[in-house]
Amino acid sequence: MADETNRAGLAEARVPTVIADDVHIVYRVNGGGSGGRGSATAALNRILRRDKGNRGMREVHAVRGVSFVAYRGEAIGLIGTNGSGKSTLLRAIAGLLPCERGRVYTDGQPSLLGVNAALMGDLTGERNVILGGLAMGMSREEIKARYQDIVDFSGINEKGDFITLPMRTYSSGMGARLRFAIAAAKQHDVLMIDEALATGDRKFQIRSEQRIRELRKEAGTVFLVSHSNKSIRDTCDRVLWLEKGELLMDGPTDEVLKAYEKETGK
């Protein structure tokens, strides 16, 4: 009886949040022409010949048959060399890219860091905190209550009152930290983070890793793309390893990272 109760408890605890079922993502890009004189004419001719087929069109198969199930409370790292399809897969999970074949099923609203809280360069950091929070579905009262925590978390005011300056005056690292701070202020069903922890000093990275652990405890699912194996080890309990769009390995963090490091020397 006790065993049955334990199995029921485990089944209840493992609630799927994302299901990728044989996902294929294909980009179609114009592959002809080297620019220079006549390139505009060549482009016009391609348009006029459209009825004869997509001449000069090249297909890039960015994600190839990827399948996995993510569960509530997991933090999942995505690793792989440049161009392996990690960011493309996240965009498909967020609903920003259509699947050529296969399907992505999500329970709740996926949030891709930097998209849901898109920031505007001509507005101050203060205004962007408000707009970013509203874009993620927070009320003005919630934003007001969490505003100072967001600013403190980002650390952008540690060397001056930057929060009152336009975002275009920020470094790329400052902008990335503010995006993360805004996104991390809200509880997410599924939060996807693409290289945000690579910005800033170690103090910010530690704060970010701690916040990811808190988001997991709040019953969310976190996906993290990072070239830092240390960030993956410190943050994630599971890793997906992609190469050339294919899922090579899916398993516990240490197991997958050891195989990846042995193969790539990274």
Side-chain angles (χ1 to χ4, degrees):
M1 185 68 176
D3 288 343
E4 290 179 7
T5 302
N6 289 336
R7 282 196 296 271
L10 287 171
E12 184 178 350
R14 286 178 66 79
V15 178
T17 53
V18 177
I19 299 173
D21 180 17
D22 191 31
V23 171
H24 293 256
I25 306 294
V26 176
Y27 292 111
R28 289 176 175 81
V29 296
N30 288 322
S34 57
R37 182 180 295 179
S39 60
T41 302
L44 179 58
N45 288 337
R46 283 199 296 273
I47 294 171
L48 294 175
R49 291 199 304 264
R50 218 176 253 169
D51 59 324
K52 298 181 181 179
N54 290 326
R55 297 182 184 181
M57 190 67 71
R58 185 165 59 93
E59 290 189 350
V60 178
H61 206 148
V63 174
R64 300 169 178 267
V66 170
S67 296
F68 66 87
V69 179
Y71 296 91
R72 187 173 295 165
E74 284 190 316
I76 302 173
L78 274 71
I79 62 172
T81 54
N82 289 337
S84 60
K86 304 182 298 292
S87 298
T88 298
L89 182 59
L90 287 193
R91 293 178 69 83
I93 294 170
L96 300 173
L97 287 175
C99 296
E100 184 79 8
R101 298 203 310 273
R103 291 286 301 275
V104 175
Y105 305 91
T106 59
D107 179 24
Q109 177 60 48
S111 298
L112 180 57
L113 182 62
V115 174
N116 295 68
L119 306 185
M120 302 180 68
D122 288 335
L123 299 183
T124 64
E126 182 178 16
R127 291 294 299 167
N128 273 294
V129 170
I130 296 169
L131 292 177
L134 291 172
M136 292 193 304
M138 296 168 64
S139 68
R140 289 186 177 273
E141 290 73 22
E142 288 176 313
I143 297 168
K144 184 177 180 180
R146 300 176 192 180
Y147 173 80
Q148 195 57 51
D149 288 339
I150 291 171
V151 176
D152 292 344
F153 188 100
S154 71
I156 63 172
N157 262 12
E158 291 177 355
K159 296 182 180 180
D161 193 20
F162 283 98
I163 197 68
T164 62
L165 297 178
M167 281 285 301
R168 55 182 162 74
T169 66
Y170 292 10
S171 68
S172 59
M174 290 169 63
R177 294 201 302 275
L178 186 57
R179 284 187 183 89
F180 183 90
I182 295 169
K186 182 180 182 292
Q187 180 177 333
H188 298 268
D189 300 313
V190 179
L191 177 61
M192 292 166 288
I193 305 164
D194 195 346
E195 283 295 351
L197 303 192
T199 63
D201 55 19
R202 184 58 189 157
K203 184 167 64 174
F204 174 76
Q205 292 171 12
I206 291 171
R207 287 202 301 268
S208 302
E209 290 161 5
Q210 176 59 35
R211 181 56 184 146
I212 288 174
R213 286 189 283 271
E214 291 170 359
L215 288 168
R216 289 172 56 194
K217 291 177 183 176
E218 293 167 4
T221 303
V222 178
F223 289 88
L224 173 64
V225 170
S226 178
H227 288 291
S228 167
N229 291 356
K230 186 179 188 311
S231 289
I232 296 287
R233 278 196 170 93
D234 291 344
T235 309
C236 303
D237 51 356
R238 176 182 171 190
V239 171
L240 307 179
W241 175 11
L242 281 80
E243 288 297 345
K244 297 181 179 177
E246 297 181 351
L247 181 59
L248 294 190
M249 197 170 179
D250 173 4
T253 298
D254 283 341
E255 182 180 323
V256 178
L257 281 179
K258 283 178 182 176
Y260 176 71
E261 288 163 352
K262 182 179 180 180
E263 179 69 23
T264 64
K266 294 183 179 181

